[in-house]
Amino acid sequence: MTNFSVKSSLDSPLFGKTVVVEGWLKTRRDSKGGFSFLEINDGSCLRNLQIVADKSLENYDAEVVNLFPGASLKATGELLQSSGAGQNVELRATKIKVYGFCDPTSYPLQKQRVSFEKLREVSHLRARTNTFGAVTRVRSALSFATHQFFQNKGFCYLNTPIITTSDCEGAGDAFHLTTIDLKSLIDAPNVRIKAEDDFFDLNANLTVSGQLEAETYACAVGKVYTFGPTFRAENSNTSRHLAEFWMIEPEIAFADLNDDATLAEEFVKYLVSYVRENCSEDIAFFDNRIDNSLCQRLSDTTSTDFTRVTYTEAIEILLRSNTAFEFPVDWGTDLQSEHERFLTEQEFKSAVIVTDFPKEIKPFYMRVNDDNKTVASMDVLLPNIGEIIGGSQREERMDILKKRMAELKQKEDEYWWYMDLRRFGTVPHAGFGLGFERIVQFCTGMANIRDVIPYPRTPKNAKF
Ligand code: 4AD
Ligand code: MG
């Protein structure tokens, strides 16, 4: 007797052999003839395995007819060719062992569809639904494909620190980290605390990006990538922002912005091709149930060149478009999501790489262009999603870096180690960050970013 997953018993069934399959009940239908059809799923694929359980089972009356959706069980029996519509394999049970019953009056996932909003209140159970099972598999496939892509190209996987004292993006939205009991301070506002009482230095925070540390390693081993959790205390309740998200950050030595953009395009195309090939059943489900332009969009992404435009050209296009945007278009202000979507969905009908943004709206580390107005930066925009990647060539010239740091009020004594890279054998280098949840959204068509991470963290929401 061999244990099989639902997927392997359906995909490569050993007809006539006795097998064991375990899972959770999706539905039970009783037939008048004294037997029941049990559909079980174990998360190995979207499809369920049908088990035929008849009265001759010793626990039929006592247990089988008391199985409701969510119950867990082990079925032993022969795999047979099924004549039922929509399936060609079924398991004729000789034994059903019930692991756990499931009370239909209190189980939150009943047969009728539960809204995604409601499901967020039961994040610990939602992976048992078809949609969240599929999201979980696609997310896992995208992680695997990420490592495969970079490892095949000779990049080193690097773990950058989660606790840092730098705010890479300079946006001031880092979560501060302290062991001081803030609650007791609120309750007793007159208690005096000293900096030395804290575990770290007072500036310790959760990382907003591993980039600066990745740069130090790229300037030693050449090509690195990080793939880790990232934290931002942005108070933005949108369908594209989380307070805790995962980011992939490659960094390459001896590279310029053009190399960076080429790598970004290749990476996005690789991820999309990977899930199209390896998650076709789940993608077809999303296309059918969630977003019926998904398959088309994915196939267009892999077959069409990403359009490259400078920020200045993008602004001209937006101004010429005569579209009434909510946020006015003006050289010098950042692109808003409505502008990004206009460029990808209306103007170019492709993914777009916008380069050379004004230096005033970008962080200190981006390389200043010869015009002294713009920096060698890029944002990769995808239809339906908007910004998926932000990146740049890095400022490798010490004198200009110092000037930029002074302009942006970054303290040299905090970044001495970063400046050492420019002091000792500086090289041109570039990199980018891809928001992992946004690519999961792009590949599944899921509208809200809270539904593509197991436990979403958003303002006022970190309960479980
Ligand atoms: O554009 P960002 O802020 O770039 C950086 O952090 C650079 N240090 C990256 C680098 O050059 N190594 O963030 C990169 C990407 C964004 O394009 C977006 O996809 C994602 O990270 N992102 C978020 N995803 C979910 N929730 C948030 N709050 C996000 N903020 C950024
Ligand atoms: Mg950005």
Side-chain angles (χ1 to χ4, degrees), residues 4 7-17 19 79-81 88-90:
F4 277 99
K7 180 173 167 48
S8 59
S9 35
L10 292 171
D11 287 350
S12 27
L14 294 176
F15 287 121
K17 285 265 182 329
V19 299
L79 286 182
L80 301 172
Q81 204 102 34
N88 55 7
V89 182
E90 65 186 22

Side-chain angles (χ1 to χ4, degrees), residues 417-430:
W417 52 277
Y418 187 74
M419 297 168 86
D420 264 3
L421 298 180
R422 281 76 187 164
R423 205 169 274 130
F424 306 127
T426 192
V427 291
H429 61 288

Side-chain angles (χ1 to χ4, degrees), residues 280-295:
S280 52
E281 185 185 17
D282 290 326
I283 300 294
F285 167 82
F286 288 119
D287 189 74
N288 200 356
R289 297 292 186 85
I290 304 290
D291 172 356
N292 45 38
S293 50
L294 177 68
C295 281

Side-chain angles (χ1 to χ4, degrees), residues 362 379 387 389-390:
K362 291 293 182 188
D379 273 6
E387 181 190 337
I389 283 177

Side-chain angles (χ1 to χ4, degrees), residues 87-247:
Q87 54 201 17
N88 55 7
V89 182
E90 65 186 22
L91 188 150
R92 183 67 53 107
T94 52
K95 204 167 165 202
I96 300 269
K97 177 183 155 65
V98 177
Y99 288 119
F101 290 95
C102 187
D103 177 1
T105 60
S106 54
Y107 187 52
L109 313 175
Q110 291 305 327
K111 253 193 276 170
Q112 67 272 27
R113 289 183 73 170
V114 185
S115 73
F116 292 156
E117 287 77 12
K118 265 260 144 317
L119 284 174
R120 279 177 220 140
E121 293 164 18
V122 286
S123 318
H124 59 303
L125 293 172
R126 64 180 180 165
R128 295 186 186 188
T129 63
N130 288 340
T131 304
F132 288 89
V135 168
T136 306
R137 286 184 294 272
V138 170
R139 186 177 166 110
S140 167
L142 284 167
S143 304
F144 183 74
T146 294
H147 287 292
Q148 202 170 50
F149 175 81
F150 287 112
Q151 295 284 338
N152 285 345
K153 287 184 169 294
F155 281 65
C156 269
Y157 175 43
L158 182 71
N159 302 122
T160 46
I162 288 172
I163 300 173
T164 72
T165 51
S166 58
D167 173 7
C168 170
E169 295 308 293
D173 50 18
F175 283 100
H176 297 298
L177 203 62
T178 179
T179 49
I180 291 170
D181 181 356
L182 297 179
K183 193 168 174 304
S184 72
L185 286 182
I186 294 168
D187 294 344
N190 296 328
V191 175
R192 279 188 59 84
I193 51 153
K194 298 191 289 297
E196 314 80 275
D197 294 342
D198 209 355
F199 191 95
F200 293 114
D201 149 329
L202 279 186
N203 290 321
N205 54 255
L206 294 176
T207 184
V208 297
S209 161
Q211 176 199 321
L212 303 186
E213 293 88 351
E215 280 187 53
T216 67
Y217 269 72
C219 292
V221 297
K223 295 190 282 190
V224 298
Y225 70 105
T226 72
F227 186 177
T230 310
F231 307 87
R232 294 197 186 171
E234 293 168 276
N235 199 1
S236 38
N237 265 305
T238 77
S239 60
R240 301 276 179 272
H241 289 87
L242 289 167
E244 176 180 296
F245 63 100
W246 285 64
M247 188 159 39

Side-chain angles (χ1 to χ4, degrees), residues 314-340:
I315 293 293
E316 283 162 8
I317 291 166
L318 293 167
L319 287 173
R320 267 204 315 266
S321 75
N322 272 328
T323 307
F325 293 113
E326 187 190 336
F327 294 90
V329 179
D330 185 21
W331 200 99
T333 58
D334 213 351
L335 297 180
Q336 298 295 325
S337 134
E338 55 175 342
H339 309 139
E340 297 173 344

